[in-house]
Amino acid sequence: MRPTLVRTAALIGSFAVGATTLSAQSLRDQTRGPSTKTPTHVISVNPFLPLFGYFQAEYEHRVAQNASVGISGSHTKFDDLYTSVDVKLRLYPQERVLENLGISAGLGYGRVKGQDENCGEIIELRSCADRNVSESAPTFGVEAQYQWLLGASRSTAVAIGGGAKRYFISDSKSSGIERVVPTVRLTIGYAF
C-alpha cells in the first residue's frame, strides 16, 4: 500500500509541476503579447529634467545581436552648465540588444559654461559678468545601464544607469571647471 501512496503522490506532484510550468509559460506569452517582432530603434528622453530647464535625449539603433549605436544630447547643470552631443557604441553582454544590461562608450563634443573661480562671491554681479568662462572641447564617456521593453508590443522603453564623462579642456583654460562629471540616465521612450 505504501508504494501506491508514493506513486500517487509522485503523480500528483508531477501534474502540479507541469501545470505550474505551463501556467508560467502562458503568463510569459501573455506579457510578451502577440507581437514577436524585436524592436530595432529606441527614442528616449528624461521626463524630469525639463521641469528644471534641462534635457537629456537619446536615439539608439540596433546594429548586431549584441550591439547598438546611438546619438545622445544633454544639457545639465552641476556646479557649471554642461552641454554635449555624443555618439555611443553600446554592447549588450546577454545578446538581447535594446534590453537588459548595456555597457557603452561614447565620443562627442561639449561645452561648459562656468564662472571664473577668481571672481568669488562679489555682491556686484556686473563686475563678474565679463569673467564668465565658456569652453568647448571633445568628450569621452562610459556608462552602464539597464533597459526594459514593456507592454504587450514591447514598445515602451525604460532605462536607468550611470557613468562618467570627461571634457578634454586644457588646464590653462579650465579655470576651475570640473572636467570629469558623473552621468545619470533615467529615460522613458518609444521602441519600434
Side-chain angles (χ1 to χ4, degrees), residues 80-139:
D80 300 314
L81 192 59
Y82 294 85
T83 304
S84 66
V85 175
D86 301 287
V87 176
K88 297 179 180 179
L89 173 63
R90 183 168 285 131
L91 299 176
Y92 289 87
Q94 296 170 322
E95 295 189 358
R96 292 182 65 185
V97 73
L98 305 181
E99 270 189 283
N100 298 332
L101 176 66
I103 302 165
S104 68
L107 295 172
Y109 198 75
R111 183 171 129 182
V112 182
K113 287 178 73 176
Q115 190 173 23
D116 189 337
E117 66 182 12
N118 296 327
C119 192
E121 293 182 17
I122 297 176
I123 296 173
E124 182 68 38
L125 292 177
R126 283 187 223 143
S127 62
C128 275
D130 59 336
R131 294 177 132 190
N132 284 342
V133 176
S134 179
E135 291 295 332
S136 297
T139 64

Side-chain angles (χ1 to χ4, degrees), residues 3-111:
T4 307
L5 184 61
V6 171
R7 279 188 226 145
T8 305
L11 185 61
I12 291 172
S14 65
F15 279 130
V17 168
T20 304
T21 303
L22 288 175
S23 175
Q25 287 176 348
S26 175
L27 181 60
R28 184 177 33 217
D29 292 341
Q30 289 174 7
T31 58
R32 292 277 183 195
S35 174
T36 58
K37 181 183 158 217
T38 301
T40 57
H41 309 274
V42 174
I43 297 173
S44 57
V45 298
N46 183 316
F48 303 106
L49 285 179
L51 297 172
F52 305 101
Y54 308 112
F55 77 88
Q56 176 186 28
E58 181 170 298
Y59 167 75
E60 185 176 5
H61 173 69
R62 173 189 173 152
V63 293
Q65 184 66 22
N66 67 340
S68 69
V69 294
I71 185 165
S72 67
S74 65
H75 178 74
T76 56
K77 182 171 176 73
F78 293 104
D79 286 339
D80 300 314
L81 192 59
Y82 294 85
T83 304
S84 66
V85 175
D86 301 287
V87 176
K88 297 179 180 179
L89 173 63
R90 183 168 285 131
L91 299 176
Y92 289 87
Q94 296 170 322
E95 295 189 358
R96 292 182 65 185
V97 73
L98 305 181
E99 270 189 283
N100 298 332
L101 176 66
I103 302 165
S104 68
L107 295 172
Y109 198 75
R111 183 171 129 182

